[in-house]
């Protein structure tokens, strides 16, 4: 594949999430094109990788904006994002936020394009899940996996985004409250 079709493919895939970083991404791609034209492949590769990283960060930021506000009586930490390419730690793009009420802690995470998604899909559909104390529950009309030992509900949105609510030692109802607060339609739109 030549560099121009590759550049076009990158821009088409990332176009919906590039609003804030469009100039930086475009600049990196243009620098990569110029370097490629000079036969400076290391600089061209670095420019394209920088553009990809900027696009991943933009997607992570969009997921972070979808994390729910703190319910009444709870406080929320700032949003933490992750945007790692496949070459590192299996990859993934997402965001998480911790919520506190006294000594109680709950974390809500949204993670896309991660190998964890395949593992959770396999676990949910296997008979091993029931043996391991894992059960399927419907929360707010969504099929979720509940792992009592972890104090976690997990669901898959749009076949490629993992949403997890985790609070070891927290009652199921508290965890369900956080899971219900996630706008799954917005998460699915952000993942397109």
């Amino acid at each position: 594949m030549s560099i121009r079709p590759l550049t076009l493919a990158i821009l088409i895939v990332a176009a919906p999430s590039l609003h804030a970083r469009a100039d930086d991404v475009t600049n990196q791609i243009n620098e990569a094109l110029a370097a490629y034209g000079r036969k400076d492949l290391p600089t061209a590769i670095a420019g394209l990788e920088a553009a990809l990283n900027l696009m991943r960060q933009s997607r992570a930021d969009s997921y972070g904006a979808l994390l729910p506000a703190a319910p009444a009586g709870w406080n929320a930490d700032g949003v933490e994002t992750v945007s790692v390419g496949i070459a590192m730690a299996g990859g993934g793009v997402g965001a998480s936020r911790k919520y506190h009420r006294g000594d109680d802690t709950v974390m809500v995470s949204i993670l896309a394009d991660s190998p964890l998604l395949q593992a959770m899909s396999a676990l949910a559909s296997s008979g091993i899940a029931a043996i391991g104390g894992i059960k399927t529950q419907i929360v707010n009309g969504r099929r979720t996996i509940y792992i009592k030992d972890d104090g976690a509900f997990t669901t898959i949105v749009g076949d490629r985004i993992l949403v997890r609510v985790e609070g070891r030692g927290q009652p199921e109802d508290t965890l369900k409250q956080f899971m219900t607060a996630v706008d799954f339609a917005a998460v699915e739109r952000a993942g397109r």
Side-chain angles (χ1 to χ4, degrees), residues 94-157:
S96 64
R97 174 183 272 166
K98 284 187 181 176
Y99 302 83
H100 306 276
R101 180 179 67 189
D103 292 334
D104 296 335
T105 303
V106 171
M107 182 183 305
V108 178
S109 305
I110 300 171
L111 183 63
D113 305 327
S114 171
L116 290 175
L117 182 68
Q118 294 170 342
M120 286 306 291
S121 292
L123 184 62
S125 63
S126 74
I128 296 171
I131 295 170
I134 299 168
K135 58 184 179 177
T136 299
Q137 290 193 25
I138 305 302
V139 177
N140 199 27
R142 296 199 63 83
R143 185 172 42 128
T144 65
I145 299 169
Y146 176 63
I147 305 172
K148 184 175 183 174
D149 291 345
D150 290 348
F153 277 95
T154 305
T155 191
I156 298 169
V157 178

